[in-house]
Amino acid sequence: MQFFKVKTVEETFALIAEQVPAIKQTETRELDRALHYILAEPVVAKENVPGFDRSTVDGYAVRAKDTYGSSESMPGFLALAGEVHMGEVPTVTVSSGTAVYVPTGGMLPAGSDAVIMIEHCEDVEDLLNTYKQVAPGENVIRKGEDIREGEILLAVGTKLRPQELGALASLGITHVTVFRKITAGYLSSGDEIVPYQTETLQMGQIRDINYLTTAGLASEWNVDVVYGGIVKDDFAEFQQKAFELYQQCDCLILSGGSSVGAKDYTTDVIQSLGDPGVFVHGISIKPGKPTILAMAAGKPVIGLPGHPASAMIIFKLFGERILRTLSGEVLERKPERVFAKITKNIPSSPGRSDYIRVRLFERDGDWWAEPIIGKSGLITTLVKSDGIVEISSEKEGVSQGEYVPVIPSR
């Protein structure tokens, strides 16, 4: 195998899309237990939402043309013909020169095509003075305007956020078919790594903080993480523990040992798990160049750098893409960006994507991104940051005051 035949960020994303399949196993879940799961079957609307024309405001249902010309200085006059009660079908109708009171959400009475807000009229002894004209359809939601019967409301691969659950509930749907929740196994390697609960460190020891940052990010993507512990720099032990964890999970995450040092066994361990093996070993990115991505007998394997900041940035960029794809979610774009002005010049090497930690602040109506400079092993640079600035591979840096894309921390 050839080490560090680096890929660009764009090539890596493309390889992930090509190599990582979605899981096949599905389950049926109650709607109130389906948050953040991924739809495995499309949802087709079996009814209209709303099921009737309704008012969006408290006001009076009218024929719009009866209000034409109404103004503060020259009001119109309509006869009140009754009112609509919530949850009931109106028993009154609107005819020429009449109006019917309707509350927000109330069903429009027959004959009306608009609603004039209560603030723009005055009830004077059953005679309605109108001080504003309205257009047909104003302050009205038509039957089926929100969801139309027969349309595909949600496609396969849709992540169920609160708003999707609300839309499903509006159709009376109580159960959905989703892809099952996936599990990722996490294993740290290195003679110097000790459990994060270790109170007193011996000289040269490092607490395993990468497990907490990795598992925390994974939980945001609705992925459970099984902690496999820490393995020393011994190939046989590393291989055995990795294989045992690999057997339990849908994805294996290995932290540390991804470079080409004498004791960096990660690549060989991954290759031993199954074919086709490693498809990325090295990405043209800073920080995080010694990243390994692989497919072993149908399961993705992620080899993260050992430095905490590098590991977290790499896992956010590529681990998220892998795990969300594996979960069955259809990803149609890169992670969301916001744009902010950079506070200082930042040089960058062409052909390599750089990711700079930044603090966001507002000044004079603009958002600014202040670089937090620090080595990739410093976890505090991530604690202090609000996101990371992306300097794409074709750029030679960014200039002070230039708008830059920022991937916000969530």
Side-chain angles (χ1 to χ4, degrees), residues 10 62 136 148 173 179 185 221 241 302 317 330 332 381 391:
E10 293 75 18
V62 296
R148 189 164 296 279
I173 294 173
F179 292 107
W221 312 322
K241 285 195 173 182
I302 304 169
L317 286 172
V330 175
E332 297 179 349
T381 59
I391 304 178

Side-chain angles (χ1 to χ4, degrees), residues 30-326:
E30 296 176 356
L31 201 59
D32 61 359
R33 297 176 56 248
L35 182 65
H36 297 151
Y37 279 78
I38 312 300
L39 272 182
E41 292 182 355
V43 175
V44 178
K46 296 186 176 3
E47 60 186 65
N48 290 311
V49 177
F52 54 87
D53 295 348
R54 67 182 188 184
S55 174
T56 63
V57 297
D58 288 336
Y60 294 87
V62 296
R63 298 198 314 173
K65 63 182 181 181
D66 287 344
T67 69
Y68 291 169
S70 297
S71 66
E72 291 283 348
S73 58
M74 188 174 293
F77 303 98
L78 298 172
L80 285 176
E83 64 179 299
V84 172
H85 298 284
M86 287 296 293
E88 296 181 4
V89 176
T91 57
V92 294
T93 60
V94 173
S95 57
S96 178
T98 66
V100 171
Y101 174 78
V102 57
T104 302
M107 186 174 181
L108 256 64
S112 62
D113 62 0
V115 175
I116 183 170
M117 294 177 65
I118 198 169
E119 295 92 330
H120 298 144
C121 46
E122 183 181 12
D123 177 3
V124 181
E125 296 180 352
D126 290 336
L127 185 66
L128 190 70
N129 296 353
T130 58
Y131 300 111
K132 180 183 178 182
Q133 62 182 18
V134 291
E138 189 167 342
N139 299 321
V140 171
I141 295 180
R142 294 296 184 188
K143 176 181 178 179
E145 186 175 334
D146 196 2
I147 302 172
R148 189 164 296 279
E149 181 181 359
E151 74 170 297
I152 296 178
L153 176 62
L154 299 174
V156 172
T158 300
K159 183 176 182 177
L160 296 177
R161 302 170 298 171
Q163 50 267 50
E164 278 81 22
L165 296 182
L168 292 169
S170 73
L171 289 169
I173 294 173
T174 59
H175 293 75
V176 284
T177 301
V178 295
F179 292 107
R180 67 165 175 81
K181 193 174 187 179
I182 65 169
T183 301
Y186 174 92
L187 182 65
S188 279
S189 67
D191 292 336
E192 76 283 10
I193 305 299
V194 295
Y196 72 88
Q197 300 95 332
T198 304
E199 291 187 9
T200 303
L201 295 178
Q202 302 298 316
M203 188 63 65
Q205 290 183 332
I206 300 172
R207 293 185 180 92
D208 185 16
I209 63 175
N210 285 359
Y211 163 64
L212 291 180
T213 57
T214 300
L217 282 172
S219 69
E220 293 181 357
W221 312 322
N222 200 36
V223 175
D224 289 332
V225 176
V226 176
Y227 184 46
I230 301 167
V231 63
K232 299 299 182 182
D233 287 324
D234 176 84
F235 178 78
E237 181 186 355
F238 192 178
Q239 183 183 38
Q240 179 182 350
K241 285 195 173 182
F243 181 75
E244 290 173 354
L245 193 59
Y246 163 86
Q247 294 290 89
Q248 302 174 41
C249 304
D250 302 296
C251 174
L252 180 62
I253 303 165
L254 304 174
S255 176
S258 58
S259 59
V260 292
K263 290 189 175 182
D264 291 337
Y265 303 123
T266 303
T267 304
D268 292 334
V269 168
I270 291 174
Q271 290 294 99
S272 73
L273 295 175
D275 294 330
V278 173
F279 62 84
V280 171
H281 189 190
I283 302 175
S284 183
I285 188 174
K286 182 180 179 181
K289 179 181 178 182
T291 296
I292 302 172
L293 304 177
M295 285 297 297
K299 296 181 182 181
V301 184
I302 304 169
L304 297 175
H307 286 166
S310 298
M312 194 168 181
I313 289 173
I314 290 297
F315 194 60
K316 172 64 179 172
L317 286 172
F318 305 110
E320 177 177 12
R321 183 65 65 95
I322 289 171
L323 291 176
R324 290 174 66 184
T325 299
L326 185 64

Side-chain angles (χ1 to χ4, degrees), residues 323-381:
L323 291 176
R324 290 174 66 184
T325 299
L326 185 64
S327 296
E329 185 174 356
V330 175
L331 302 176
E332 297 179 349
R333 58 186 180 184
K334 293 182 180 179
E336 292 183 0
R337 271 85 166 156
V338 297
F339 285 84
K341 291 182 177 180
I342 197 74
T343 61
K344 61 178 66 174
N345 297 335
I346 301 178
S348 179
S349 300
R352 182 189 71 193
S353 298
D354 282 1
Y355 290 83
I356 311 299
R357 285 139 276 175
V358 294
R359 179 180 71 88
L360 293 171
F361 65 92
E362 191 174 10
R363 184 175 67 198
D364 300 329
D366 282 318
W367 282 101
W368 289 80
E370 179 184 22
I372 298 174
I373 305 301
K375 296 179 180 178
S376 60
L378 302 179
I379 191 63
T380 52
T381 59

